[in-house]
Amino acid sequence: MKIKTNAENERLLAVLDALRKEQKPFWKRVAELLAKPKRRRIEVNLRKIEKLAKEGDTVVVPGKVLGDGKLTKKVNVVAFSFSESAKRMMKEAGAKYMEIEEYYKKNKEAKDATILT
């Protein structure tokens, strides 16, 4: 019997499958954090990114980025998903954002990236 899933769950399962095959501890940890149930998955506000990231840093959020707070630094934010307000505020601040699977394909080494929980 096949279990019905929605588009977000299918995308999540594909990302988890790819990351779990990777031998790098960084990606294994991201997969571990993403595998949590949705209600326990990480949600990070822009306020926290502003506080913890330095100009030019790459931060990986294994969950969702929310638009509470203000971002003034030009950072690279990688996450599974973004709220519309977070996307708008990052664009206004000159920050770049991309989804985890896109970043993983471009940068399997994950050099200079930090997991933000």
Side-chain angles (χ1 to χ4, degrees), residues 15-96:
V15 170
L16 287 174
D17 189 43
L19 295 181
R20 285 179 175 152
K21 290 178 184 175
E22 189 61 46
Q23 297 301 310
K24 305 278 184 235
F26 180 88
W27 291 118
K28 286 185 182 262
R29 180 66 178 147
V30 170
E32 180 183 308
L33 292 168
L34 267 176
K36 291 182 178 184
K38 188 172 184 172
R39 69 183 180 280
R40 301 188 81 207
R41 207 168 298 146
I42 296 168
E43 293 180 342
V44 173
N45 284 304
L46 291 177
R47 178 184 325 112
K48 188 171 186 178
I49 295 171
E50 174 72 21
K51 181 179 178 184
L52 299 176
K54 296 176 189 158
E55 189 84 23
D57 279 358
T58 299
V59 294
V60 177
V61 178
K64 188 169 189 168
V65 175
L66 303 174
D68 187 33
K70 187 171 182 169
L71 187 64
T72 59
K73 301 173 185 171
K74 293 183 180 179
V75 295
N76 301 313
V77 182
V78 179
F80 181 70
S81 63
F82 299 89
S83 70
E84 290 302 317
S85 61
K87 286 181 181 179
R88 181 178 36 79
M89 294 171 111
M90 285 186 286
K91 194 178 281 188
E92 289 172 3
K96 296 180 182 174

